[in-house]
Amino acid sequence: MDKRHLVQLAVLASCAALAACPADTPAATATGPATPTVETPPPAPAAPSADAAAEAKQLFATRCVPCHGASGAGDGPASAGLTPKPAAFSSAEWQAKVSDEHIEKIIAYGGMAVGKSAAMPPNPDLDGKPVIPALRVLIRGMKAP
Ligand code: HEC
């Protein structure tokens, strides 16, 4: 009885040792479709939070209205001296020709960063913050119905 028991133990032990090695390697080196790390969140949130939307509204009124005007028509008090003048955000044609990425980029990095007038200032303090997409949504919403 002792002897058989020992043999069984030895077999069990060697099985465990053998099983451990090959089990580790394929998992670590697998390159096939078996490794979908699906946890990456989508890069752009669909809609800004209520907080970001409120902040965008306030920021637009203080920082953007002087040039862009309260309704984004490009007729703010400081727009008189600007050449070229800002496009009217209500324009369906303008809305159609600019990408979301372009709008967010010009707000964060300024006109020069996208080949536009340097009179459109960068807003480095907003870069990467949720208020940038929120400003973009606000501007998209200024399109005339
Ligand atoms: C000092 C004046 C000034 C201020 C302040 C300003 N802009 Fe502008 N903005 C401009 C001018 C000028 C243009 C036009 C650039 C061109 O067409 O070359 C422009 C263009 C834009 C465009 C359109 C780019 C295009 O391709 O037509 C967006 C979007 C924009 N501004 C957003 C903003 C936002 C949002 C703010 C506030 C955070 C802001 N701007 C503040 C002057 C200003």
Side-chain angles (χ1 to χ4, degrees):
M1 170 192 173
D2 297 324
K3 213 171 177 189
R4 207 189 296 157
H5 203 105
L6 279 174
V7 169
Q8 275 178 349
L9 272 176
V11 168
L12 273 174
S14 64
C15 279
L18 280 173
C21 299
D24 278 353
T25 17
T29 54
T31 50
T35 45
T37 322
V38 200
E39 290 316 316
T40 343
S49 69
D51 278 358
E55 194 188 345
K57 220 171 153 181
Q58 215 216 336
L59 257 169
F60 192 86
T62 53
R63 276 197 213 185
C64 319
V65 163
C67 295
H68 287 277
S71 61
D75 60 354
S79 72
L82 296 174
T83 312
K85 299 216 183 307
F89 297 151
S90 60
S91 160
E93 197 189 321
W94 177 82
Q95 290 276 358
K97 85 173 181 213
V98 294
S99 68
D100 286 353
E101 195 195 0
H102 172 84
I103 294 177
E104 293 188 15
K105 201 168 167 190
I106 198 171
I107 297 171
Y109 304 119
M112 287 227 287
V114 294
K116 291 271 176 173
S117 166
M120 167 61 206
N123 295 275
D125 59 318
L126 308 183
D127 188 18
K129 296 197 179 155
V131 74
I132 295 263
L135 277 165
R136 183 251 304 156
V137 168
L138 185 77
I139 287 168
R140 286 298 194 198
M142 287 172 175
K143 180 180 170 183

